[in-house]
């Protein structure tokens, strides 16, 4: 079979897979969730196997430990976060009104002399922007929720997902061996190299960045709560989670937290100064300690590409899309770089003579 036919065959198989995911997205959540959990826990299972534990025992210990930590976190955090979210949503209009009042006072002082009439336009548009942003966020969360719960309820997801994760984690090595046996023999080494690069990108960036986000969420939530910022734990945790997209999470979190601190402490500036110190220290912690140690020199993803992947996957496939958006984005990035390297070495770019390794597709 020629290279062109092989490419067409695998592109057709990929299109069929995407179509099946689209048609069955309502029931795929526990299976995709189990696959994601198994992928991220497989290195731990391999390490326990090297210590002498059977694969079934390693999978059982890891999954039970993961479920215990996850359930404990849910029981402790969900009531607190739900209460803070409800309070924040209730007080958001009053925050906007108070912030407009503060801007009006500043307009009469040094800030008005600095930027002039533009501050009045900012004050006038602030309520509109906040309302539009809240409506957009609400519709996005609603679409994710409806897509993730279209067929299966929360209870069935919580029951099926651990079972799926256990069996996939148990058979992971055999699954990889079987898939490897299906690769086209003429290009098996190249495909293995691509998948190694994809695994390295996902393992280095996704796993490392997820750990960084978790630690930043704990840091911001704890510090903001300790300094007395209203809804500090909720905003801090969301800031850490949003830090998966570099710079975006920290900027949004700083703006929201500084607005709350200004409204809460005005005209005192001590609390806003504390917020600035916390976020400045958080940026130093992320840039010079956490990211170099946990993410390292792995291939990163551009923030714009990350935002597009999350929004597109979330709107198309709901919560399932969010689970696989970043790994798929990392895989696409590796494939694009590989295709670009092949193009730059081919006669299509160099204009040299065509050989057997690069068939002439210009005809």
């Amino acid at each position: 079979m020629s290279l062109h036919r092989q490419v067409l065959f695998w592109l057709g198989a990929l299109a069929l897979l995407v179509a099946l995911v689209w048609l069955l997205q309502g029931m795929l959540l526990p299976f995709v969730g189990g696959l994601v959990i198994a992928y991220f826990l497989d290195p731990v299972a391999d390490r326990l196997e090297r210590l002498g534990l059977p694969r079934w025992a390693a999978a059982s210990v890891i999954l039970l430990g993961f479920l215990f930590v996850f359930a404990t976190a849910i029981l402790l955090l969900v009531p607190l976060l739900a209460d803070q979210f409800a309070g924040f949503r209730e007080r958001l209009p009053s925050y906007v009104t108070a912030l407009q009042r503060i801007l009006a006072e500043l307009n009469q002082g040094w800030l008005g002399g600095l930027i002039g009439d533009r501050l009045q336009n900012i004050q006038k548009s602030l309520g509109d922007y906040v309302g539009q942003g809240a409506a957009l966020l609400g519709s996005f969360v609603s679409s994710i929720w409806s897509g993730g719960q279209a067929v299966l309820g929360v209870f069935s997801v919580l029951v099926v997902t651990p079972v799926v994760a256990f069996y996939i984690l148990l058979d992971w090595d055999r699954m990889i061996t079987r898939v490897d046996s299906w690769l086209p023999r003429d290009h098996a080494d190249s495909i293995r190299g691509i998948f190694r690069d994809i695994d390295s990108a996902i393992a280095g960036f996704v796993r490392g960045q997820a750990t960084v986000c978790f630690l930043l969420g704990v840091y911001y939530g704890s510090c903001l709560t300790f300094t007395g910022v209203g809804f500090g734990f909720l905003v801090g945790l969301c800031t850490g989670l949003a830090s998966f997209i570099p710079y975006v999470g920290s900027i949004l979190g700083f703006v929201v937290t500084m607005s709350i601190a200004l409204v809460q402490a005005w005209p005192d500036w001590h609390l806003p100064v504390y917020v600035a110190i916390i976020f400045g220290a958080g940026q130093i912690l992320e840039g010079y300690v956490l990211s170099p140690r946990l993410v390292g020199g792995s291939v990163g993803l551009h923030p714009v590409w990350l935002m597009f992947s999350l929004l597109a996957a979330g709107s198309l496939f709901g919560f399932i899309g969010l689970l696989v958006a970043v790994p798929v984005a990392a895989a696409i990035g590796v494939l694009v770089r590989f295709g670009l390297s092949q193009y730059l070495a081919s006669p299509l770019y160099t204009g040299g003579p065509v050989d057997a390794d690069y068939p002439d597709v210009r005809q």
Side-chain angles (χ1 to χ4, degrees):
M1 182 180 292
S2 67
L3 176 62
H4 292 167
R5 291 184 177 180
Q6 286 180 329
V7 171
L8 291 176
F9 171 79
W10 287 108
L11 287 178
L14 178 62
L16 179 61
L17 176 62
V18 173
L20 287 175
V21 172
W22 173 269
L23 292 174
L24 302 176
Q25 58 178 305
M27 59 166 291
L28 287 180
L29 179 58
F31 300 96
V32 175
L35 179 63
V36 171
I37 293 173
Y39 172 76
F40 284 106
L41 294 181
D42 177 67
V44 184
D46 292 338
R47 182 169 300 181
L48 291 180
E49 270 195 299
R50 289 193 294 268
L51 294 177
L53 220 61
R55 183 73 182 189
W56 66 268
S60 301
V61 170
I62 293 171
L63 195 60
L64 288 176
F66 172 81
L67 291 176
F68 174 77
V69 173
F70 180 77
T72 303
I74 290 296
L75 292 175
L76 293 178
L77 293 180
V78 166
L80 175 61
L81 293 177
D83 181 67
Q84 289 207 354
F85 181 78
F88 180 76
R89 184 178 59 181
E90 180 180 353
R91 297 190 60 179
L92 183 60
S94 63
Y95 278 152
V96 174
T97 303
L99 193 58
Q100 289 177 330
R101 176 179 52 79
I102 293 173
L103 288 175
E105 293 180 10
L106 291 175
N107 189 33
Q108 300 173 359
W110 61 270
L111 189 58
L114 182 63
I115 63 177
D117 295 336
R118 285 177 293 178
L119 187 59
Q120 295 179 351
N121 297 330
I122 295 174
Q123 177 187 352
K124 182 179 179 181
S125 303
L126 181 61
D128 295 336
Y129 287 146
V130 171
Q132 293 174 4
L136 179 62
L137 180 61
S139 62
F140 181 62
V141 173
S142 177
S143 66
I144 293 173
W145 177 259
S146 61
Q149 305 297 331
V151 176
L152 297 176
V154 177
F155 178 76
S156 62
V157 172
L158 295 178
V159 171
V160 176
T161 300
V163 177
V164 173
F166 173 77
Y167 281 109
I168 294 179
L169 189 61
L170 185 64
D171 296 329
W172 185 267
D173 293 335
R174 287 194 292 268
M175 290 168 54
I176 297 299
T177 303
R178 179 63 61 87
V179 172
D180 182 79
S181 68
W182 295 341
L183 299 180
R185 295 297 93 187
D186 294 341
H187 308 286
D189 291 337
S190 298
I191 297 174
R192 291 189 190 106
I194 292 174
F195 276 107
R196 280 194 295 268
D197 292 340
I198 291 174
D199 180 69
S200 176
I202 295 176
F205 179 76
V206 179
R207 289 173 180 162
Q209 192 67 24
T211 306
V212 170
C213 291
F214 171 76
L215 295 177
L216 286 177
V218 173
Y219 163 76
Y220 284 126
S222 302
C223 291
L224 294 177
T225 301
F226 178 76
T227 54
V229 178
F231 311 106
F233 187 76
L234 174 66
V235 177
L237 187 61
C238 291
T239 300
L241 295 178
S243 297
F244 202 92
I245 304 175
Y247 307 112
V248 174
S250 57
I251 292 174
L252 290 177
F254 176 76
V255 170
V256 173
T257 309
M258 184 61 71
S259 301
I260 295 175
L262 281 172
V263 172
Q264 182 177 339
W266 184 258
D268 186 18
W269 285 92
H270 287 87
L271 192 59
V273 170
Y274 294 154
V275 169
I277 293 174
I278 289 172
F279 275 86
Q283 289 301 295
I284 296 175
L285 179 67
E286 178 184 3
Y288 294 96
V289 179
L290 296 179
S291 292
R293 292 179 179 271
L294 299 176
V295 181
S298 63
V299 178
L301 299 176
H302 197 277
V304 175
W305 176 235
L306 271 178
M307 287 187 288
F308 174 81
S309 303
L310 290 170
L311 290 175
S315 61
L316 289 175
F317 301 105
F319 189 69
I320 296 175
L322 289 182
L323 287 177
V324 300
V326 179
V328 170
I332 292 176
V334 172
L335 293 175
V336 169
R337 284 188 290 270
F338 175 79
L340 182 60
S341 65
Q342 294 296 301
Y343 163 72
L344 294 177
S346 71
L348 291 174
Y349 175 75
T350 61
V354 178
D355 54 30
D357 293 330
Y358 298 99
D360 193 355
V361 298
R362 295 170 290 181
Q363 298 179 354

